[in-house]
């Protein structure tokens, strides 16, 4: 299972994007047992964000609706097969006065492919501040990626139609995507940002909206550690896969509306990389944060 499906898909036919609403609509097959599907025959492996989103849905279905998901911490164990169903086993770890904790194990053929711990909290008031601020042109002022780059680059950018066909996320870059500079052999600071949203309108249910961001949160994140090294994930011999992924939700928001996702590759070493992300609404309010460690290995 990989966080950045740019490397995990095959050439798909041109067609509709993955049906995210269906992907997040799990079937309850027994008490605390749910089944999910990918609805995507083009991918080689299950997109990591899909596993996070579906696991959160499974956990949330066992929690009182008024309690909101505020954190989730996952570990990717084995690659998932998108042609097979995934079983999500939920363990009710704790039901406290303020917090609810669930442990979720995703399996295929009896093999664990993903583990998630999710925490939910009843609404309450408390201290409020944010240390980071940001600003960017509104998404309506930012051109679609295909309209902002050299057509000659697009002719050879096999990753783009693959990504658009296999991941249900819209994105627009307010600055040059560092991958472009890296493809020219140029180094860049380990920072990138994009306006993101799900490709379809999701249900009003706050759990579904939270799972929508859990799904989108995986996109591009680990690749933010590559720009200083002037390589892209297309580099021959490059191995990139997420090992663990964490999401903190600071308040309710709609993942099907535009939010600015700022990402920073904090560290690389020992064949691994560590990246963090911050998600802002149009007013610059920090609504979510992420962290991810993954395999970053170049073998020639």
């Amino acid at each position: 299972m990989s966080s950045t499906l740019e490397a995990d898909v095959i050439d798909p036919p041109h067609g509709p994007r993955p049906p995210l609403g269906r992907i997040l609509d799990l079937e309850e097959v027994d008490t605390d047992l749910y089944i999910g599907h990918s609805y995507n025959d083009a991918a080689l492996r299950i997109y990591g964000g899909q596993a996070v989103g579906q696991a959160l849905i499974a956990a949330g279905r066992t929690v009182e609706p008024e309690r909101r998901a505020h954190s989730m911490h996952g570990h990717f164990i084995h690659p998932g097969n998108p042609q097979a169903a995934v079983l999500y086993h939920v363990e009710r770890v704790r039901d406290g006065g303020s917090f609810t904790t669930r442990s979720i194990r995703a399996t295929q053929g009896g093999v664990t492919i993903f583990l998630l711990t999710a925490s939910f909290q009843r609404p309450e008031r408390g201290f409020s501040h944010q240390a980071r601020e940001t600003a960017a042109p509104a998404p309506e002022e930012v051109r679609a990626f295909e309209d902002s780059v050299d057509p000659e680059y697009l002719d050879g950018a096999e990753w783009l139609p693959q990504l658009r066909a296999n991941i249900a996320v819209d994105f627009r870059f307010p600055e040059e995507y560092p991958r472009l500079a890296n493809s020219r052999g140029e180094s860049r600071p380990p920072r990138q940002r994009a306006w993101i949203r799900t490709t379809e309108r999701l249900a009003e249910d706050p759990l579904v909206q939270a799972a929508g961001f859990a799904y989108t949160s995986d996109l591009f994140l680990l690749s933010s550690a590559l720009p200083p090294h002037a390589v892209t994930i297309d580099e021959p011999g490059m191995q990139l896969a997420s090992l663990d992924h964490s999401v903190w939700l600071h308040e309710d928001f709609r993942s099907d509306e535009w939010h600015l996702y700022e990402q920073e590759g904090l560290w690389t070493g020992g064949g691994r990389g560590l990246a963090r992300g911050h998600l802002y609404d149009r007013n610059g309010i920090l609504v979510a944060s992420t962290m991810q460690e993954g395999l970053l290995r170049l073998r020639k």
Side-chain angles (χ1 to χ4, degrees):
M1 194 175 300
S2 172
S3 71
T4 308
L5 254 284
E6 295 160 286
D8 291 347
V9 295
I10 58 176
D11 284 329
H14 295 291
R17 309 292 289 277
L20 185 54
R22 293 180 66 195
I23 289 171
L24 297 178
D25 186 17
L26 304 189
E27 177 188 355
E28 184 176 6
V29 294
D30 204 344
T31 302
D32 298 342
L33 182 63
Y34 299 82
I35 190 169
H37 300 274
S38 298
Y39 303 104
N40 186 351
D41 294 329
L44 292 176
R45 293 185 283 181
I46 290 176
Y47 166 52
Q50 175 183 311
V52 181
Q54 288 185 331
L56 180 62
I57 290 289
R61 295 301 183 220
T62 71
V63 177
E64 297 175 5
E66 62 270 17
R67 298 206 172 195
R68 299 289 198 260
H70 72 90
S71 72
M72 61 206 81
H73 308 280
H75 284 83
F76 300 98
I77 311 300
H78 290 290
N81 177 5
Q83 279 73 52
V86 180
L87 283 174
Y88 291 92
H89 311 253
V90 180
E91 179 184 355
R92 303 189 183 214
V93 178
R94 179 175 186 264
D95 288 285
S98 298
F99 293 90
T100 298
T101 307
R102 296 291 184 261
S103 176
I104 308 94
R105 182 168 58 94
T107 66
Q108 285 186 318
V111 176
T112 299
I113 63 172
F114 178 66
L115 296 171
L116 184 78
T117 301
S119 182
F120 301 76
Q121 182 187 15
R122 65 172 176 79
E124 64 178 86
R125 294 174 179 266
F127 298 115
S128 178
H129 88 280
Q130 68 179 61
R132 300 173 65 92
E133 296 183 354
T134 193
E140 293 81 9
E141 300 173 9
V142 178
R143 291 187 294 172
F145 183 72
E146 290 88 340
D147 298 330
S148 65
V149 297
D150 188 333
E152 185 175 342
Y153 173 83
L154 290 178
D155 290 340
E158 297 180 0
W159 65 270
L160 184 59
Q162 293 172 357
L163 186 150
R164 288 204 181 279
N166 287 277
I167 302 181
V169 180
D170 283 335
F171 54 89
R172 297 180 183 180
F173 300 106
E175 300 89 19
E176 183 184 51
Y177 181 28
R179 181 178 182 143
L180 299 179
N182 290 165
S183 68
R184 300 191 297 266
E186 302 172 10
S187 176
R188 288 291 185 270
R191 292 184 293 275
Q192 57 194 28
R193 58 183 190 164
W195 288 101
I196 63 168
R197 66 180 179 186
T198 62
T199 55
E200 65 180 80
R201 196 77 171 171
L202 299 177
E204 299 285 335
D205 184 350
L207 176 63
V208 174
Q209 291 292 335
F213 176 64
Y215 178 96
T216 62
S217 68
D218 211 14
L219 186 62
F220 302 128
L221 185 53
L222 187 56
S223 66
S224 67
L226 288 178
H229 308 284
V231 296
T232 72
I233 64 172
D234 297 323
E235 185 79 13
M238 175 64 70
Q239 295 178 312
L240 183 149
S242 57
L243 299 173
D244 52 68
H245 185 76
S246 295
V247 179
W248 294 268
L249 303 173
H250 309 314
E251 60 179 66
D252 289 345
F253 62 92
R254 295 196 65 100
S255 59
D256 53 14
E257 296 180 350
W258 288 115
H259 286 79
L260 185 66
Y261 196 16
E262 297 192 344
Q263 303 172 336
E264 183 179 12
L266 297 175
W267 169 88
T268 56
R272 306 188 315 279
L274 181 68
R276 69 179 173 187
H278 295 92
L279 189 78
Y280 299 88
D281 68 13
R282 288 174 178 266
N283 298 317
I285 302 300
L286 181 67
V287 297
S289 300
T290 61
M291 289 284 289
Q292 185 175 94
E293 184 181 41
L295 177 71
L296 284 178
R297 180 185 292 150
L298 183 59
R299 289 180 168 173
K300 296 196 174 181

